[in-house]
Structure formats: structure tokens, C-alpha cells
Amino acid sequence: MSFQLKILGSNSAMPAYGRHHSAQLLNVQNHHFLIDCGEATQIQLSRYKCKTLRINHIFISHLHGDHYLGLMGLIFTMHLLRRKSDLYIFGQKGLREIITTQLKYSDTILNYNIRFKELNPNEPELLFEDNTIEVSSFPLFHRVPCCGFLFKEKSKPVRLNKDKLPQKISLAHIGLLKKGEDIYDDQGKLLHRNKDLTLPPRKSRSYAYCSDTKYEESIIPHIKGVDLLYHEATFLNEREMWASQTFHSTTSQAAEIAKKANVGQLVIGHYSARYNDVTPFLTEAKAVFNNTILATEGEAIDIPDL
Amino acid sequence: MSFQLKILGSNSAMPAYGRHHSAQLLNVQNHHFLIDCGEATQIQLSRYKCKTLRINHIFISHLHGDHYLGLMGLIFTMHLLRRKSDLYIFGQKGLREIITTQLKYSDTILNYNIRFKELNPNEPELLFEDNTIEVSSFPLFHRVPCCGFLFKEKSKPVRLNKDKLPQKISLAHIGLLKKGEDIYDDQGKLLHRNKDLTLPPRKSRSYAYCSDTKYEESIIPHIKGVDLLYHEATFLNEREMWASQTFHSTTSQAAEIAKKANVGQLVIGHYSARYNDVTPFLTEAKAVFNNTILATEGEAIDIPDL
């Protein structure tokens, strides 16, 4: 089952050097979650062959333009593509007004419903869950209310060990095995221990997204041990003071958070437009947390199903 | 002196096949007028080496997303580029609210002032003038209030004919000649007829922009005889009925307007995303009005200074 992050935009406030505003597409099993939606996200989706209408949930971390200005265009395009199903949008207070104001003046009644959910920028909160995944938000520390997002697969069932299964076993018994139960006959006599016929469940994978934030250790409990962490690294270390003043992070700060949170892998992005070559970002971050990669538009990062 | 139109976006509602939402940059002498500003216009400006901060006047024809969704990103980028001078934005009722709502939620106080001017979608109106040019709006006929724009150089002064000028002539007399006056001596005796020492003024050039409109002959008086007309041609002739229902035009309709308005050259664009190859647009339009060209992103159309 897939758990894949695709980078659609990797730059910060101004597009530059072919890099775009923040946007990511996370595919977890049958879900396609859009995370932030900077200007031209619909163009990036199309460029990288992502099917726009598969997106049912959009998570906008905060209301700085480089994180949401592509949303209105995407909403209109979904309408033109004759979307019918509900679209769930999670964003800070104000996003609903921004969208409805523009729908009003364009005199558009969408073919589909938008379900808004206002984020709580002060407390972690469960935003969505189903049988396979839960998505929650947690506070980040930026100049305006801002949330990070945590995507976490739910606990998975044990797996049938086909090498060990008896040739004749009823569907009812298979159902019990999948639920982790032992199997008894009608008289209550133990027929099979569950652990003898099953393999342990696959690992529940997780991804955390920290869009815009200053270095802040209080986010660590929310992202502890995730398989993959995206943490913004707007500036190289040389501009640590400027990063602090603008509520952004440096490469080493992002890596320090990754190290302290004991994550599997770190991906950094949200590069300032002042940098043409971003390879020094990688060098600096790897010096603190070696398993770091750069956010590169069009590239996908897979978390294997182990 | 330059009079150059640069095409930044040529497609209609949805970006497709590498074509973007509507946007054009008109350079007339020292002015750089941005006409419509669809999503990703700031990226297109950068791609085609247009200097963003030279733009002081932005004209938005109507409030459908493909004509203005790039505006907010451009406003933020001008702020980040430390713009100081006033920015004049001409748009339909609602545009000011759309912009101020987003500035409010991003908690941004711009370094510069935006001067809004609300368009009158029902009557032609002078929007801007200085010594060299006047810009006016006129009604188009679309699903929402929509204006076209006319850019027209003012009458130019006569030009000194250097081959005919006497070797000794005072600056005062040169000033009089440039004003078109004859020259007399102190006793009131005619020294030089103006027409003997000057050449006729250069032609005042003009450009009209008709963004989104159904076929409507009442726009002809506003665009009569312009050197260059942009008229939308969203569909090929095969979809004339659909064009009419959606308040758009076909290739032949755009060309018919150009012919009836006796314009110098027609440029068509605003292609529907249903068409990959747009060469049939040119064939159809040229059958009605031969001096037609296709809007092609990154290409410039010059009106010579004759």
C-alpha cells in the first residue's frame, strides 16, 4: 500500500529559479491529501501528472500567500472539471471568507460542496480519520496563526501467514485470525493460536509537515518518531538572526528538530528566493541530521510498507 | 518610442498545454501596463524577463479567476521587492474587497499604497492620462460585469525637419516650431512657415483589449481603427452555440469584429483548454480578417512608430 509524498512546490514567499510556492501531495492508500496550495499549484499538479479530482482533502497551514494562493484557481478548475463530490478544506480563520468572497464576485455556484473546517492554531486537534489513517494538526510558531499536520496510519491488522495456514480453514476462522483472535472449536477447545498462523502487522507509517515556523522545541512531542518529517529551512545558517526575526528556521535548526524528535528521515524546503543553488542547504542539514534530503519539485518520497 | 504588447498568458479558464491564464504587458514609451493578471502571472513576468517593479498600472477586466488570480501574489511580491511607489489597480466592484480581505488575514501592511479605481461596466470612461497616452475602458458583454480597455497615444508634435532647418535658429524659435507655430520676427514679419521646416507628426498608435465577451457589434465604436486589437476567441466555429451560451466568441466572430472595426491587426487568444493545437484558430480567423495573428506566450507584438 502506497505512502508517497510528492513535492509540488519548494520555495518560500517568491517563486524563483523555477521553484514554486509550497504545495505537496500525500498519497496514503486511496487518499490524496493536498498540503498547502501556493500559486500555480494546479499547474504543478498537471505538470506532474497528478489527478486533480482525486484530491478530497486540502490542508492549508496558514494564510500567507505562498501557502494558499493557488487554492482559488484549483477550486474553479475542479468546478470546470465537473467535480461532484464534497471537497474538505482545513484552514485558519479567514480562509472561508477569502473563498466565499471570490465565489460571490465571480458569480459562481460550484457543482460541489466545500466543507470548511477551521483549524485551532493553539491546540493539537484531530481533523480527519477513517479506518486507515488519522490526520491531526498541531501549533507551529509563525508570524500569523499556523498549523503543522500529522498524517498517521492506524494500527494495521496481523497478516495471514500463508505458509502456515491449514489447507482447509473456514472464512469465519480467517476473519477471526485477521482480528488477532485465537481459534476454538464449538466445544471451546483451542484449535489454533493466532500467533502460529499470522505474521505481525505491518508498521503504521507517519508523515509530519511543518510549513513555516521558527525553531521551537515544543513541536517535538507532536512529531516524535515519525517516519518522514518535512520541516521548513528557509535560510542557511548565515542568516539565523534574520530567520528568527521572520519566524523562520535555518537548515541546522530544522535538522536539530529532526534529531531531537528522532524521526526517520527529514526533508527540507521552503527555500528563500535569495538562493539559486540549494545544495548548501543539504550540506548544512546533514551535518546535524544525516538522513536529510532536499525537497525537489516533481520528486516523490516513498515510505515503504514494512 | 516603443509600443509593444507582450503576451504572458493565452488560455482561458483552465491552464493547459503549457498555456496560462490571461495576462499581457503593454509597454508604451515609459509606461508598463499590466492587462489582466491570471494565476502565475508573476512567474510568467519573471520567465520573460519583464521587470515587475516597472508596472505601475494594472487593469483587470473582470472578476473571473483566470483574469485576476495572479494579482494577490504579484502584490505580495512587489512588497517583498520593497516597492515604494503607488500601484494603481483598475477593476470591477469587489476587487478591492478581495485584496483587502487577503491583506488583512496575512497581517500584511504593504510598503506601498494601492490606489483602487472601480470600473464602470456600463459606460466608457477615461481611466488614466498623461502627456503621452490615455487609457479608457468600455463595456464588454460577459456573464459578469466586464470591461475592455483602449490604450491610445495622444496627438504627437510635428517633427523638426533637420534637412530644412536654417543653420542659425534660436531655441525659442525651435520651441515654437515644435508647437506647430509659424515664426515671425519682432516686427511681425513672417520668417518661416512651420510646414516648411517640419515633418508631420508621427501617428498616434492605439491598442484595444477585449478579454471576455460574446459577439457584440456595439463594442465597434470604441475600438474603431485601432492599430492592434486583441479579441478573445475561446472556441473554434464548431462551437458557436456554446460560445454564445457562455458569453464567449469564436474565431470568426473575433475576426468579424476586427473587420467591421477596420483595425490594423487582430490578435486572438483566450483559447479553451479543449484545444491542444491552436493553429486552426488562425486559419478560421484569417478567412474573415487576414491580418490576424495568434497570441503566443512570450512573444511580443510591436506597433512601429511611423
Short mmCIF file of all heavy atoms in Angstrom, two decimals, chain B residues 11 17 35 56 65 82 85 100 112 120 124 129 136 147 152 163 176 180 186 198 214 222 234 253-254 257 271 300:
data_model
loop_
_atom_site.label_atom_id
_atom_site.label_comp_id
_atom_site.label_asym_id
_atom_site.label_seq_id
_atom_site.Cartn_x
_atom_site.Cartn_y
_atom_site.Cartn_z
N ASN B 11 -4.44 31.37 -22.45
CA ASN B 11 -5.51 30.37 -22.35
C ASN B 11 -6.71 30.93 -21.60
O ASN B 11 -6.64 31.99 -20.97
CB ASN B 11 -5.00 29.11 -21.63
CG ASN B 11 -5.40 27.86 -22.37
OD1 ASN B 11 -5.27 27.82 -23.59
ND2 ASN B 11 -5.87 26.85 -21.67
N TYR B 17 -1.72 22.65 -21.64
CA TYR B 17 -0.74 22.54 -22.73
C TYR B 17 0.33 23.63 -22.64
O TYR B 17 0.76 24.18 -23.66
CB TYR B 17 -1.45 22.61 -24.09
CG TYR B 17 -2.58 21.61 -24.23
CD1 TYR B 17 -3.90 22.04 -24.33
CD2 TYR B 17 -2.32 20.24 -24.19
CE1 TYR B 17 -4.94 21.12 -24.43
CE2 TYR B 17 -3.35 19.32 -24.29
CZ TYR B 17 -4.65 19.76 -24.40
OH TYR B 17 -5.67 18.86 -24.50
N ILE B 35 -2.21 44.10 -18.15
CA ILE B 35 -3.61 43.96 -18.53
C ILE B 35 -4.05 42.54 -18.18
O ILE B 35 -3.57 41.57 -18.76
CB ILE B 35 -3.80 44.22 -20.04
CG1 ILE B 35 -3.12 45.53 -20.44
CG2 ILE B 35 -5.28 44.26 -20.39
CD1 ILE B 35 -3.02 45.71 -21.94
N ASN B 56 3.21 50.07 -12.94
CA ASN B 56 2.53 50.99 -12.02
C ASN B 56 1.02 50.97 -12.18
O ASN B 56 0.31 51.50 -11.31
CB ASN B 56 3.04 52.42 -12.23
CG ASN B 56 4.50 52.56 -11.84
OD1 ASN B 56 4.94 51.97 -10.85
ND2 ASN B 56 5.26 53.31 -12.63
N GLY B 65 -11.71 34.11 -12.26
CA GLY B 65 -10.39 33.80 -11.73
C GLY B 65 -9.28 33.84 -12.76
O GLY B 65 -8.16 34.28 -12.45
N ARG B 82 10.32 45.38 -2.05
CA ARG B 82 10.43 46.70 -1.42
C ARG B 82 9.95 47.84 -2.32
O ARG B 82 10.54 48.92 -2.35
CB ARG B 82 11.87 46.95 -0.95
CG ARG B 82 12.35 45.88 0.00
CD ARG B 82 13.72 46.16 0.57
NE ARG B 82 14.27 44.97 1.23
CZ ARG B 82 13.86 44.50 2.41
NH1 ARG B 82 12.90 45.11 3.06
NH2 ARG B 82 14.41 43.42 2.93
N SER B 85 6.57 52.98 -4.57
CA SER B 85 5.67 53.87 -5.28
C SER B 85 4.25 53.31 -5.37
O SER B 85 4.04 52.09 -5.28
CB SER B 85 6.21 54.14 -6.69
OG SER B 85 6.38 52.92 -7.36
N THR B 100 -8.23 43.46 -0.02
CA THR B 100 -8.06 43.91 1.37
C THR B 100 -8.36 42.77 2.35
O THR B 100 -7.73 42.68 3.40
CB THR B 100 -8.96 45.13 1.68
OG1 THR B 100 -10.30 44.84 1.30
CG2 THR B 100 -8.48 46.35 0.92
N TYR B 112 3.84 49.95 0.16
CA TYR B 112 3.40 50.94 -0.83
C TYR B 112 1.88 51.04 -0.77
O TYR B 112 1.21 50.20 -0.17
CB TYR B 112 3.87 50.53 -2.23
CG TYR B 112 3.35 49.18 -2.69
CD1 TYR B 112 2.19 49.08 -3.47
CD2 TYR B 112 4.01 48.00 -2.34
CE1 TYR B 112 1.72 47.85 -3.88
CE2 TYR B 112 3.53 46.77 -2.74
CZ TYR B 112 2.39 46.70 -3.51
OH TYR B 112 1.91 45.48 -3.91
N ASN B 120 -16.45 51.28 -14.40
CA ASN B 120 -17.88 51.38 -14.73
C ASN B 120 -18.15 50.41 -15.87
O ASN B 120 -17.69 50.63 -16.99
CB ASN B 120 -18.21 52.81 -15.14
CG ASN B 120 -19.68 52.97 -15.48
OD1 ASN B 120 -20.38 52.00 -15.75
ND2 ASN B 120 -20.14 54.21 -15.45
N PRO B 124 -18.37 53.87 -21.27
CA PRO B 124 -16.94 54.11 -21.47
C PRO B 124 -16.46 55.20 -20.51
O PRO B 124 -17.23 56.08 -20.13
CB PRO B 124 -16.84 54.57 -22.93
CG PRO B 124 -18.21 54.90 -23.35
CD PRO B 124 -19.17 54.22 -22.44
N GLU B 129 -4.60 59.37 -17.88
CA GLU B 129 -3.97 60.08 -19.00
C GLU B 129 -2.77 60.85 -18.48
O GLU B 129 -2.71 61.25 -17.32
CB GLU B 129 -4.94 61.00 -19.72
CG GLU B 129 -5.38 62.20 -18.95
CD GLU B 129 -6.23 63.15 -19.80
OE1 GLU B 129 -6.03 63.24 -21.02
OE2 GLU B 129 -7.11 63.80 -19.20
N SER B 136 -8.67 54.19 -21.56
CA SER B 136 -10.08 54.23 -21.19
C SER B 136 -10.67 52.83 -21.21
O SER B 136 -10.09 51.89 -21.77
CB SER B 136 -10.85 55.16 -22.14
OG SER B 136 -10.56 54.84 -23.47
N CYS B 147 -15.05 44.81 -18.62
CA CYS B 147 -14.65 45.95 -19.44
C CYS B 147 -13.52 45.59 -20.39
O CYS B 147 -12.64 44.79 -20.05
CB CYS B 147 -14.15 47.10 -18.57
SG CYS B 147 -15.47 47.96 -17.69
N LYS B 152 -4.37 54.59 -26.06
CA LYS B 152 -4.23 55.42 -27.26
C LYS B 152 -3.22 56.54 -27.00
O LYS B 152 -3.38 57.31 -26.05
CB LYS B 152 -5.61 56.01 -27.59
CG LYS B 152 -5.72 56.61 -28.96
CD LYS B 152 -7.18 56.91 -29.31
CE LYS B 152 -7.32 57.76 -30.56
NZ LYS B 152 -6.48 57.38 -31.70
N ASP B 163 16.85 68.62 -42.31
CA ASP B 163 17.40 68.98 -43.63
C ASP B 163 17.01 70.40 -44.02
O ASP B 163 17.64 71.01 -44.89
CB ASP B 163 16.88 68.01 -44.70
CG ASP B 163 17.37 66.59 -44.46
OD1 ASP B 163 18.39 66.44 -43.75
OD2 ASP B 163 16.70 65.64 -44.93
N LEU B 176 8.80 77.09 -30.72
CA LEU B 176 7.58 77.48 -31.45
C LEU B 176 7.29 76.49 -32.58
O LEU B 176 6.14 76.10 -32.81
CB LEU B 176 7.72 78.89 -32.01
CG LEU B 176 7.74 80.01 -30.95
CD1 LEU B 176 8.10 81.36 -31.59
CD2 LEU B 176 6.37 80.10 -30.26
N GLY B 180 4.09 73.75 -33.47
CA GLY B 180 3.31 73.83 -34.72
C GLY B 180 3.09 75.26 -35.19
O GLY B 180 2.31 75.51 -36.11
N ASP B 186 10.54 90.34 -34.83
CA ASP B 186 9.98 91.25 -33.84
C ASP B 186 8.98 92.24 -34.45
O ASP B 186 8.12 92.77 -33.75
CB ASP B 186 11.11 92.03 -33.16
CG ASP B 186 11.96 91.09 -32.31
OD1 ASP B 186 11.50 89.96 -32.04
OD2 ASP B 186 13.08 91.49 -31.95
N THR B 198 9.20 71.59 -40.88
CA THR B 198 8.84 70.43 -40.05
C THR B 198 8.26 69.30 -40.91
O THR B 198 7.88 69.51 -42.06
CB THR B 198 7.77 70.80 -38.99
OG1 THR B 198 6.58 71.22 -39.68
CG2 THR B 198 8.26 71.87 -38.04
N LYS B 214 -19.10 38.06 -25.55
CA LYS B 214 -19.80 37.45 -26.68
C LYS B 214 -19.68 38.38 -27.89
O LYS B 214 -19.24 39.52 -27.75
CB LYS B 214 -21.27 37.20 -26.31
CG LYS B 214 -22.17 38.42 -26.21
CD LYS B 214 -23.57 37.98 -25.76
CE LYS B 214 -24.52 39.15 -25.63
NZ LYS B 214 -25.01 39.68 -26.92
N HIS B 222 -15.99 51.76 -30.03
CA HIS B 222 -14.92 52.03 -29.06
C HIS B 222 -13.54 51.61 -29.58
O HIS B 222 -12.53 52.11 -29.08
CB HIS B 222 -15.19 51.29 -27.74
CG HIS B 222 -16.53 51.59 -27.17
ND1 HIS B 222 -16.92 52.86 -26.83
CD2 HIS B 222 -17.60 50.79 -26.89
CE1 HIS B 222 -18.16 52.84 -26.37
NE2 HIS B 222 -18.60 51.60 -26.40
N THR B 234 -12.40 32.14 -27.85
CA THR B 234 -12.28 30.99 -26.95
C THR B 234 -12.48 29.67 -27.70
O THR B 234 -11.86 28.66 -27.38
CB THR B 234 -13.29 31.12 -25.79
OG1 THR B 234 -13.15 32.41 -25.18
CG2 THR B 234 -13.09 30.05 -24.74
N GLN B 253 -16.06 35.13 -35.23
CA GLN B 253 -16.71 36.29 -34.62
C GLN B 253 -15.67 37.36 -34.24
O GLN B 253 -15.90 38.56 -34.47
CB GLN B 253 -17.51 35.85 -33.39
CG GLN B 253 -18.76 35.06 -33.76
CD GLN B 253 -19.49 34.49 -32.56
OE1 GLN B 253 -18.91 34.26 -31.50
NE2 GLN B 253 -20.78 34.25 -32.72
N ALA B 254 -14.56 36.92 -33.68
CA ALA B 254 -13.50 37.88 -33.34
C ALA B 254 -13.02 38.59 -34.61
O ALA B 254 -12.85 39.82 -34.64
CB ALA B 254 -12.33 37.16 -32.67
N ILE B 257 -15.50 41.16 -35.95
CA ILE B 257 -15.41 42.43 -35.21
C ILE B 257 -14.21 43.24 -35.72
O ILE B 257 -14.31 44.44 -35.96
CB ILE B 257 -15.29 42.16 -33.69
CG1 ILE B 257 -16.59 41.53 -33.14
CG2 ILE B 257 -14.93 43.44 -32.93
CD1 ILE B 257 -17.78 42.46 -33.04
N TYR B 271 -7.75 30.83 -25.53
CA TYR B 271 -8.12 29.52 -26.09
C TYR B 271 -8.71 28.61 -25.02
O TYR B 271 -8.19 28.53 -23.91
CB TYR B 271 -6.88 28.83 -26.67
CG TYR B 271 -6.01 29.72 -27.52
CD1 TYR B 271 -4.72 30.05 -27.10
CD2 TYR B 271 -6.46 30.25 -28.73
CE1 TYR B 271 -3.90 30.87 -27.86
CE2 TYR B 271 -5.65 31.08 -29.49
CZ TYR B 271 -4.36 31.38 -29.05
OH TYR B 271 -3.56 32.19 -29.80
N ALA B 300 6.28 39.07 -28.47
CA ALA B 300 5.97 40.50 -28.41
C ALA B 300 5.45 40.95 -29.76
O ALA B 300 5.88 40.47 -30.80
CB ALA B 300 7.21 41.28 -28.03
#
